[in-house]
Amino acid sequence: MIDKLRIFLLSVSTVMALTALSGAAAAQVAAGTSRGDSPAAAQLDASDAAYLRALTADTWRCIAYFVEPSTGLPYDTSQRPEFTSVSNIGLYAAACGVAAELKLVDRDEATARVRRVLDAHERFKKWRGFSQSWNSVRTLEPSPEDTMVSILDSANMVAGLVVAGQALPDVREQVQRALDGMDWSAVYDAEKKQLFGGYDLARGRLDPGWHIGLYASDGRMAAFWAIVSGAAPPESWEALGRETEEHYGLTIYRPAWAGGGLFMQALDGLFLDERATPIGKSTANFAYAQMIYAEQFDLPLWGWSACSAPGGEYLGWGSLDVSVVTPHAVGLAAMYYPRRATQCLKQLEKFGARQAYEEGGKEYKFGFSDSVNFQTRAVQRNFLPPLDQGMLFLSLANLLEDGVVQRLFQSHATVQRGRRIIAEYAAPVDRKWLAELQRRDGEPLPSVTSGASEGPSMVLVDDFESGDIARNRLGGRNHTWTRDAADADVSIKLSRVETERDGRTTGCMQINYDVEASNPAFGGVTLDLSGANASGCDALEMWVRGQPDSIKVELHGKGGIGVTYLQDVPQDRWQRVRIPFLRFGGLITDWSELSQMILVFEDSRSRPKTGTLLVDDVRLVEAPGAGDRPGHRRNAPN
């Protein structure tokens, strides 16, 4: 009882002290008494630098506030849910160490915070030293709903703990014990030369349908750490997929927009200085393309990345909304474009994204909430303190304090070894590239020429009147797939049926889907478009009828991958839907050669999880008066 009381009093007193200290520290750093600006920050004028320093202090205050008193673990959101992730733990620990470096918190206080997190983590249930990704902040028991050990989340925790240990010597030994306990060789698939993405504790097996296979994803740190710790060979780095797409003449690694936006590419660059590496150049190009895209279509803001939308839904992999932007994405771009990022952050304030947080009759300055819909001006008032706020905080710290997060992480002996054996990290910095970034940040954005349409105004994909459901009118294949072909619980079946529509009999595509399974599950139908030229079109049109209330719709082409969702499909009648191309996002600027249209059914969003969807008359069309042809008209999204 005495220990619990002591913990509670410590938590209360430290929050009160933090509030006072952070305010003082903000004034101190705003006055320019910190260790010194980075070369990137030197591009800012004094008022912008002071603005960012005050924002950094406010953001740290938010991160430090939303912590469970009994265990010291960070909450996932400001709503204080029961479970938190190991990614949250890692970014929170890193923030504590960096806040001490920035003198936003006393070093003893930061050490105490990290030690409590490490003590809690030691009590988590483990497999080969890895804990389940989601655990209770109070009981420390694993979540019964998500029984996966996520290897990429584990790597995020590793990166954060390394930073904390390097910044705070008194926890360094305990950090190293946690790192040494993880058996990375247990998750390396020698056949694929990639890491398995996760281990299912409920089933007692590695997930065969999940590998960390993309270079430009938030799993890159896992691949890096497996190599530098000796669990995977250096050549496994080259086994990561490096497919690219082009926007405005800029080369960007996929999955880009389709994979959840900017954080996927930029997260690991918080810890590893990647500015002049291939992935760093892609990240910079991706952020710059977002700025040009916003300029081209007269959008007031940019900053597309996975976040909690104002409506409450989480916009993650494959579900970004063109109208919803998030401050952390802007922060992640700040190391590359400090001036443009500062301008956008100030614009976000005008849309209400930085309001005081109220609780217990008090107001707190916690920086930015998680997102804004610039069409409706709705704001998501909740915070994701360790993750999204953590990314913003660490980004700004890197900018203002000459890569402080990167310097701490890269001072660890194991990381130094990795920077010697992975060629792109051993290469010298490309000064010409850094000069190019500075030029982009200081000069006007390039104009995008609007041109007349060169393609047809209508392209029939399929009307399903042919008896062959496996081939569409463009000559491409119609085929089904699932996330894990070996998972017998998940199925997608395709057939052609005849039905009544508008008083006549018509052929249509019938999709029977079942994504109800114990593992994460999804599957869908792919219509190969055979390079269809949609440059003269504005929208995807089709007739639908069926049970799922949410269907992901993707369009793939050489210009990128666009994603949106089809909602509220009627069960008892046919409905024609027309989806403007701009709603697909994806920064797609070339619609002249589309390769695929994909309908996806997801266990996390499709309700019911088992059902039937009918689809007919799939066309790419010019919508009369819509004005939604990306690359041809300047227009905000509907």
Side-chain angles (χ1 to χ4, degrees):
M1 180 67 181
I2 292 175
D3 284 344
K4 290 183 178 179
L5 179 60
R6 179 181 60 80
I7 290 170
F8 175 74
L9 291 175
L10 174 64
S11 299
V12 172
S13 63
T14 53
V15 168
M16 292 175 65
L18 175 67
T19 301
L21 180 61
S22 294
Q28 181 185 32
V29 295
T33 57
S34 61
R35 177 168 49 201
D37 285 345
S38 70
Q43 299 173 40
L44 298 170
D45 61 34
S47 63
D48 282 348
Y51 170 82
L52 293 182
R53 291 187 180 281
L55 173 59
T56 303
D58 283 354
T59 306
W60 160 246
R61 189 181 295 113
C62 176
I63 295 167
Y65 183 82
F66 292 105
V67 174
E68 165 59 32
S70 64
T71 63
L73 290 175
Y75 295 113
D76 182 51
T77 76
S78 55
Q79 294 178 314
R80 297 180 174 89
E82 175 72 18
F83 299 99
T84 197
S85 73
V86 292
S87 280
N88 288 338
I89 289 172
L91 268 70
Y92 171 71
C96 290
V98 172
E101 291 286 299
L102 271 59
K103 299 185 179 0
L104 294 173
V105 66
D106 180 83
R107 192 166 292 273
D108 290 341
E109 166 67 15
T111 298
R113 285 176 173 271
V114 175
R115 183 174 287 126
R116 295 192 71 205
V117 166
L118 289 165
D119 289 345
H121 180 259
E122 287 177 353
R123 294 167 57 191
F124 286 175
K125 294 179 180 178
K126 305 288 197 310
W127 171 80
R128 300 292 188 92
F130 296 96
S131 66
Q132 188 171 296
S133 291
W134 291 88
N135 298 272
S136 170
V137 295
R138 301 176 182 89
T139 69
L140 308 185
E141 290 295 310
S143 167
E145 301 298 326
D146 185 344
T147 60
M148 295 298 296
V149 171
S150 167
I151 300 307
L152 66 86
D153 281 317
S154 298
N156 292 339
M157 185 183 72
V158 164
L161 292 183
V162 167
V163 169
Q166 297 304 100
L168 306 167
D170 287 349
V171 300
R172 195 171 295 167
E173 183 178 345
Q174 194 174 4
V175 164
Q176 196 60 45
R177 284 202 306 271
L179 302 182
D180 292 342
M182 299 180 185
D183 181 7
W184 288 86
S185 64
V187 296
Y188 180 63
D189 185 342
E191 182 178 348
K192 286 185 174 288
K193 296 184 180 180
Q194 295 175 349
L195 300 180
F196 285 100
Y199 181 87
D200 189 339
L201 287 171
R203 291 191 169 191
R205 67 167 193 174
L206 291 162
D207 186 342
W210 182 12
H211 282 79
I212 294 175
L214 294 174
Y215 176 61
S217 78
D218 54 342
R220 190 168 62 258
M221 181 60 73
F224 176 87
W225 195 261
I227 292 170
V228 303
S229 61
E235 56 265 27
S236 64
W237 189 255
E238 301 306 319
L240 297 172
R242 289 170 168 79
E243 186 178 359
T244 63
E245 56 190 50
E246 297 285 328
H247 304 286
Y248 307 109
L250 306 168
T251 301
I252 301 167
Y253 286 112
R254 289 181 172 174
W257 181 283
L262 200 56
F263 97 96
M264 292 282 287
Q265 300 203 13
L267 174 58
D268 294 335
L270 293 174
F271 303 98
L272 286 161
D273 185 356
E274 296 182 326
R275 285 173 298 167
T277 65
I279 185 59
K281 291 180 179 180
S282 174
T283 302
N285 285 345
F286 191 10
Y288 197 54
Q290 290 196 8
M291 300 172 199
I292 300 172
Y293 189 77
E295 176 77 7
Q296 180 185 358
F297 295 107
D298 293 328
L299 309 182
L301 296 164
W302 57 270
W304 290 285
S305 187
C307 63
S308 178
E313 67 275 21
Y314 188 75
L315 306 180
W317 182 283
S319 58
L320 298 187
D321 184 328
V322 175
S323 302
V324 177
V325 294
T326 179
H328 81 258
V330 182
L332 288 167
M335 274 290 283
Y336 301 95
Y337 310 106
R339 293 173 183 167
R340 294 193 182 281
T342 305
Q343 293 167 3
C344 191
L345 289 169
K346 290 182 176 180
Q347 184 73 354
L348 277 161
E349 287 200 33
K350 295 179 181 179
F351 278 75
R354 190 179 180 184
Q355 301 178 30
Y357 177 81
E358 298 181 11
E359 186 171 71
K362 295 182 179 180
E363 289 190 350
Y364 301 88
K365 291 183 178 180
F366 284 163
F368 286 103
S369 54
D370 206 47
S371 68
V372 172
N373 184 312
F374 57 69
Q375 280 188 313
T376 65
R377 301 187 77 93
V379 177
Q380 169 56 277
R381 296 302 305 277
N382 290 325
F383 301 89
L384 275 63
L387 187 59
D388 290 4
Q389 290 287 87
M391 286 190 284
L392 177 58
F393 174 74
L394 297 176
S395 298
L396 295 179
N398 269 332
L399 171 63
L400 296 169
E401 295 294 328
D402 196 16
V404 59
V405 187
Q406 297 164 347
R407 285 188 286 107
L408 288 167
F409 182 71
Q410 293 171 172
S411 68
H412 192 278
T414 303
V415 179
Q416 290 177 354
R417 175 178 178 270
R419 286 173 58 78
R420 291 192 297 271
I421 63 178
I422 298 177
E424 67 190 64
Y425 294 113
V429 174
D430 183 350
R431 298 295 175 184
K432 291 183 179 179
W433 170 248
L434 298 185
E436 167 63 13
L437 293 177
Q438 188 169 350
R439 183 197 66 77
R440 291 180 183 180
D441 198 35
E443 295 183 2
L445 291 168
S447 60
V448 178
T449 303
S450 296
S453 164
E454 296 180 356
S457 59
M458 193 281 288
V459 177
L460 174 63
V461 176
D462 210 342
D463 57 7
F464 307 103
E465 294 304 325
S466 165
D468 185 7
I469 191 63
R471 289 284 173 184
N472 57 53
R473 292 291 187 179
L474 298 174
R477 293 175 58 232
N478 302 331
H479 55 97
T480 64
W481 53 272
T482 60
R483 172 184 180 270
D484 179 4
D487 191 342
D489 292 338
V490 181
S491 67
I492 307 291
K493 296 180 180 179
L494 190 63
S495 61
R496 178 187 178 275
V497 299
E498 293 192 350
T499 185
E500 293 292 320
R501 196 187 86 210
D502 294 336
R504 64 183 180 87
T505 301
T506 180
C508 68
M509 177 171 65
Q510 177 173 289
I511 307 168
N512 294 314
Y513 68 93
D514 184 348
V515 291
E516 188 163 10
S518 54
N519 277 341
F522 54 85
V525 175
T526 297
L527 283 69
D528 293 330
L529 302 182
S530 303
N533 183 358
S535 63
C537 304
D538 299 306
L540 170 67
E541 181 181 281
M542 56 185 164
W543 288 81
V544 293
R545 175 180 178 179
Q547 293 169 298
D549 63 353
S550 180
I551 308 158
K552 184 190 292 185
V553 186
E554 301 179 6
L555 286 176
H556 294 225
K558 68 176 183 180
I561 299 174
V563 181
T564 190
Y565 277 83
L566 180 60
Q567 310 281 3
D568 302 322
V569 174
Q571 295 187 35
D572 56 352
R573 59 184 175 82
W574 282 97
Q575 181 181 62
R576 184 173 67 175
V577 295
R578 181 178 289 146
I579 308 174
F581 283 167
L582 198 56
R583 270 187 54 194
F584 285 89
L587 312 183
I588 300 177
T589 53
D590 185 348
W591 293 85
S592 66
E593 193 174 325
L594 296 184
S595 58
Q596 294 178 326
M597 169 187 162
I598 305 178
L599 302 176
V600 187
F601 305 87
E602 303 168 304
D603 65 335
S604 60
R605 297 188 61 146
S606 293
R607 298 291 184 274
K609 295 185 180 183
T610 300
T612 300
L613 176 70
L614 301 179
V615 180
D616 197 12
D617 284 345
V618 181
R619 303 168 187 266
L620 306 168
V621 301
E622 181 177 15
D628 287 317
R629 182 180 301 141
H632 295 276
R633 303 188 182 102
R634 296 172 61 87
N635 195 68
N638 287 341

